[in-house]
Amino acid sequence: MYLLAFTLGLVGSLHCVGMCGPIALLIPLQRQHKGFRYLQLGAYFIGKTLAYSLIGLLFGLVGEGLFIAEYQQEFSILAGLVMVSMGLFSLFHISLKGVQNPLLKGFALLKNALGRQLTKKTLSSSFTIGFLNGFLPCGLVYTALFGALTMGNLWGSMGYMTAFGLGTIPLMLLLVLLGNFLPVALRRQLNQWLPIVVIIVGILFILRGLGLGIPYLSPADTHLLLHPKADC
């Protein structure tokens, strides 16, 4: 599952290039000192991945509180269906009227704090920029969180989101180092594939929950893997 999370982050980072890329390009790097510039980039990605890990930790607590581990297969199917639905809505440009995120107003404060950090050129500010960026609303992150929640325990969810965060680094790093290395038209075409990736991930979660006896892809009984019976 961690490999799946990393792959989702890696493929989905095509979306990150368009959404978070502008923020990454605004990081006030020390252009005169290449060594320090790489330290700044490292601090940024550590901060961003840490934010994802903490969100995973929070969802892991929720998962334990809801006893999801005891119904992991059932919840995996449910999460997969939600992912497939999200992918289809995005693919066919279907919007649900009247559905709004009540937290969007709170994100205004987050963006203001982010803007203040973008004026500084310290390691701590680079770390803070990455950390705050990790909490900005993003459909791809929401998709990853459904996967993290199916892990059913605190450390599993945290590890899932950490793997997802690490997967987003390679393309984002190339973006910062090489600038807009992908033409806008090509980026738009690649973004059109993102809903399909989300749908595929959703299908994998459904297969995992069905317990078809396929090694690694669809284990016969996930519950036995989570709660092995003790020998009498």
Side-chain angles (χ1 to χ4, degrees):
M1 293 306 293
Y2 296 133
L3 179 60
L4 180 60
F6 181 87
T7 303
L8 177 62
L10 181 63
V11 178
S13 58
L14 293 170
H15 171 75
C16 294
V17 167
M19 298 300 292
C20 301
I23 295 177
L25 289 173
L26 288 175
I27 300 174
L29 300 175
Q30 290 279 3
R31 301 295 178 182
Q32 297 84 2
H33 304 89
K34 289 186 177 181
F36 189 76
R37 178 176 64 182
Y38 294 136
L39 288 176
Q40 286 179 290
L41 289 175
Y44 169 81
F45 287 117
I46 289 173
K48 196 164 182 279
T49 304
L50 178 60
Y52 291 147
S53 299
L54 291 178
I55 297 174
L57 183 66
L58 175 62
F59 272 69
L61 290 172
V62 173
E64 286 190 346
L66 295 176
F67 304 103
I68 286 176
E70 298 180 12
Y71 305 96
Q72 192 183 46
Q73 287 181 269
E74 294 83 353
F75 194 83
S76 183
I77 295 174
L78 176 61
L81 290 173
V82 172
M83 290 182 190
V84 170
S85 299
M86 291 173 62
L88 289 173
F89 286 165
S90 179
L91 187 62
F92 295 104
H93 306 289
I94 301 173
S95 61
L96 299 178
K97 295 182 179 180
V99 178
Q100 295 180 344
N101 188 346
L103 298 177
L104 286 180
K105 293 182 179 179
F107 285 120
L109 297 175
L110 184 63
K111 290 181 179 180
N112 290 336
L114 188 60
R116 288 193 294 271
Q117 294 298 322
L118 288 172
T119 62
K120 304 174 183 178
K121 292 186 178 182
T122 62
L123 282 178
S124 61
S125 64
S126 298
F127 173 85
T128 304
I129 291 170
F131 186 76
L132 295 177
N133 192 8
F135 287 98
L136 291 176
C138 173
L140 182 64
V141 175
Y142 299 156
T143 301
L145 285 174
F146 277 108
L149 196 55
T150 64
M151 301 301 288
N153 63 80
L154 188 151
W155 300 114
S157 297
M158 186 176 180
Y160 188 96
M161 290 304 295
T162 300
F164 168 78
L166 293 174
T168 65
I169 292 178
L171 276 181
M172 289 293 294
L173 182 60
L174 284 175
L175 172 69
V176 177
L177 294 178
L178 303 179
N180 293 310
F181 65 98
L182 288 178
V184 175
L186 179 57
R187 271 185 280 166
R188 288 176 178 173
Q189 290 179 357
L190 292 174
N191 267 329
Q192 292 175 356
W193 286 91
L194 183 59
I196 297 176
V197 174
V198 173
I199 292 171
I200 292 174
V201 172
I203 292 173
L204 290 175
F205 271 94
I206 293 172
L207 289 174
R208 178 172 174 261
L210 290 175
L212 301 176
I214 305 173
Y216 303 106
L217 179 62
S218 184
D221 193 343
T222 307
H223 301 299
L224 297 179
L225 298 177
L226 290 173
H227 305 289
K229 295 181 180 179
D231 294 332
C232 297

